[in-house]
Amino acid sequence: MLRLAEKLRARLVTLPRRYKRLIQVATDIVLVWAALWLAFVVRLGDSKSIEPFEGHAWLFGIAPLIAIPFFVRFGMYRAVMRYFGNDALMAIAKAVTLSALLLSLAVYWRTDAPKLIPRSMVFNYWWLSLVLIGGLRLVMRQYFMGDWFSPASLTKFKGKDAGLPKVAVYGAGAAGNQLVAALRMGRAMRPVAFIDDDPNLHNRSIAGLRVYSAKHIPQMVDETGAGQILLAIPSASRARRREILEMLEHLPLHVRSVPGFMDLASGKVQVEDIQEVDIADLLGRDAVPPQQALFERCIRGQIVMVTGAGGSIGSELCRQILANAPETLLLFEHSEFNLYSIHMELERRIEREALSTRLVPILGSIRNPDRLLDVLQTWKVQTIYHAAAYKHVPMVEHNVAEGVLNNVLGTVNAAQTAVQAGVANFVLISTDKAVRPTNAMGSTKRVAGMVLQALSREAAPVLFGSDDAVHHVNKTRFTMVRFGNVLGSSGSVIPRFYQQIRSGGPVTVTHPKITRYFMTIPEAAQLVIQAGSMGQGGDVFVLDMGQPVRIAELAEKLIHLSGMSIRSEKCPHGDIAIEYTGLRPGEKLYEELLIGDNVSPTEHPMIMTANEEYLSWDQLKVLLSRLMAAVDEDDYPQVRQLLREVVSGYKPEGEIVDWIYQQRRAEPGE
């Protein structure tokens, strides 16, 4: 019998839409007649006084003629039965009520009716129609979804669902209920329980699932066999999410989450998108809301350019700049693919939100000053966010010349063309690796910052590389913003950890004591924009990164929250091993944000300003000339020596590992 019903369901689901609607209309006509007949029976107590083909024929004839147009108007035949919800029930209630009212008027106006019609019959017709029409649709929804029995016992009798992974949903609110409904429809997972912090919900049943308290999670696992927990608490603070994750970490459960409301609203993800735990939740720090005045000061109604617009930080800067209504946003990027990706994303957003900002994607390199100057002068750029740089420490360590040319000379080009074009604001994205660096990347970023510090103190500088002694009036306000690692950026350790866990391990960590500062990309971009609006010129702003995080501890948490155990000497039968590979070239055990201790607060609680030593522009130009000459000659020991002279605290560790330098030393005769 069940097999036959299942075949019928499959057949009905695959019918063309017009056939489905015809079946619904025919069924509703029959139900209207049934409700009308039963209304007489309830009122009169028997069926002998009912004459559907004689005295009451006119009433049975007009009842569907009145009801069906209302059903059509309220969209009852547009609703998909499998996804039938509360909105559809309200539409049915409205349509049935209005049709019953109109039928009562017809009964009132028909004074010459051949057969007496009790007035209370219309009320009976109304509630019977609600029961029959609404009830049938609810029953059919369960039928078409395959839900033959109650939600709690749904999968006990269905072999095809018995093997689905069992999941518990943390959060019995709107997001949790929506998630359970999506899981039941998608049939990818089987929800078996709710977990919630509200004591009023404990031991209650919601959507057929029992609600457990957090302290009874082990009991829930024993009773339901759940192997995963899905976090459906988008409104919870980061601090609270961190508490929950720390509590769940030691349980043999794979913990994942559903997207937040902001991601859903922006269209980035769908409700059904279940993701690994957001690493930002493990850090547990809530972002400080931006100060709108600072946010808009250098953007609203202005012509803004972002260099490195396709990178991790650059692309997020573009997103947040666009939200603050610039007149024109120039995307300057040397990677064609990255430029295409961010341009398409922002174009769709402009179209979706009907924004007035003009978007200009420009292919170009900061190594080409003529191209830079041409762009700045053509569009009369007012604000530049300079995010273009090489940032991967080992990669730059193996390619020193490119690191110097891009990070140092590229910044010199961008800054000098900004002076030439009369750009009002110039903001450099710096890094914590520029503080007492042990690698080429950090030292080149420190030199880039020193270039801006020197230029900001020159009212009319003679430009570096200029053959003449022409002084250019400097109207540009240069600022630098320094922060640590951002979560999810290209080359970030977190995606690599997840990939290693999915492939069965091992998870590789360079050193058991290595620590890093972390911040989310949106938070970093927000603070960069706000910091760039402050200061008088030459300012070094440092973002509050919170407490540093031990990378090995982070790896352990991710393994545990993936529902796996760590393989070690104490636990040789664990799932995933952690291997320590040793520090990479140029890598430090810990990073710093401040060169000195002379920091001052600003009007923003998460932004500090630092006073740091710098060289004059004339001194720096001499050292830059020597540095570029050494790069041209592939004299990497000299490059390292010059960087040591310029950058205070630069202590390179180990031998030079530049590929060209090593290859030439390995050649015979060298």
Side-chain angles (χ1 to χ4, degrees), residues 486-605:
V486 288
L487 298 170
S489 65
S490 59
S492 176
V493 69
I494 309 302
R496 191 177 82 239
F497 282 172
Y498 275 128
Q499 185 180 6
Q500 290 173 336
I501 291 170
R502 283 193 295 269
S503 59
V507 173
T508 55
V509 180
T510 56
H511 195 281
K513 294 183 179 180
I514 193 168
T515 62
R516 289 292 182 267
Y517 290 100
F518 284 104
M519 180 179 283
T520 65
I521 294 178
E523 185 181 8
Q526 282 185 4
L527 293 174
V528 163
I529 292 172
Q530 293 173 92
S533 301
M534 299 188 289
Q536 302 302 311
D539 307 83
V540 179
F541 293 105
V542 181
L543 305 187
D544 182 356
M545 300 291 296
Q547 296 300 314
V549 177
R550 196 164 66 88
I551 302 300
E553 185 180 334
L554 198 60
E556 291 170 4
K557 287 181 180 291
L558 292 179
I559 292 171
H560 287 145
L561 291 171
S562 298
M564 301 179 184
S565 58
I566 298 172
R567 190 189 310 142
S568 63
E569 292 182 359
K570 296 180 180 179
C571 183
H573 302 294
D575 301 306
I576 304 288
I578 296 178
E579 289 186 0
Y580 298 102
T581 57
L583 293 175
R584 296 173 296 180
E587 196 169 41
K588 296 167 69 174
L589 272 180
Y590 60 92
E591 300 292 357
E592 305 165 271
L593 289 167
L594 299 171
I595 294 176
D597 298 325
N598 50 344
V599 294
S600 306
T602 66
E603 55 191 289
H604 195 288

Side-chain angles (χ1 to χ4, degrees), residues 122-278:
V122 177
F123 176 75
N124 293 334
Y125 166 75
W126 171 73
W127 69 262
L128 283 164
S129 296
L130 281 178
V131 171
L132 291 174
I133 295 171
L136 181 64
R137 277 167 165 80
L138 287 174
V139 170
M140 295 308 292
R141 181 186 69 176
Q142 299 298 103
Y143 175 59
F144 286 123
M145 287 176 60
D147 297 343
W148 296 84
F149 308 99
S150 66
S153 60
L154 169 67
T155 55
K156 293 180 182 179
F157 306 96
K158 292 180 63 83
K160 68 177 183 179
D161 288 347
L164 295 179
K166 298 177 181 179
V167 300
V169 176
Y170 201 118
N177 276 271
Q178 194 173 17
L179 176 61
V180 166
L183 292 175
R184 284 173 172 164
M185 291 177 187
R187 305 230 177 258
M189 297 178 181
R190 175 184 167 187
V192 293
F194 277 115
I195 305 162
D196 203 276
D197 298 327
D198 187 354
N200 296 320
L201 298 179
H202 296 164
N203 295 318
R204 301 286 184 89
S205 181
I206 297 177
L209 305 178
R210 181 180 172 184
V211 183
Y212 292 82
S213 65
K215 67 179 180 181
H216 289 123
I217 292 178
Q219 177 189 339
M220 180 275 296
V221 174
D222 292 337
E223 292 178 357
T224 65
Q228 298 187 38
I229 288 184
L230 306 181
L231 299 182
I233 45 175
S235 59
S237 67
R238 278 257 168 80
R240 177 56 189 154
R241 292 171 76 91
R242 181 181 183 180
E243 291 175 6
I244 293 170
L245 290 173
E246 287 177 348
M247 175 187 65
L248 298 175
E249 183 185 342
H250 305 291
L251 297 171
L253 295 165
H254 186 183
V255 183
R256 296 197 285 174
S257 66
V258 294
F261 285 145
M262 293 305 296
D263 288 335
L264 292 171
S266 64
K268 293 180 183 178
V269 293
Q270 304 299 315
V271 177
E272 294 82 358
D273 291 340
I274 297 172
Q275 57 201 18
E276 296 298 336
V277 170
D278 189 349

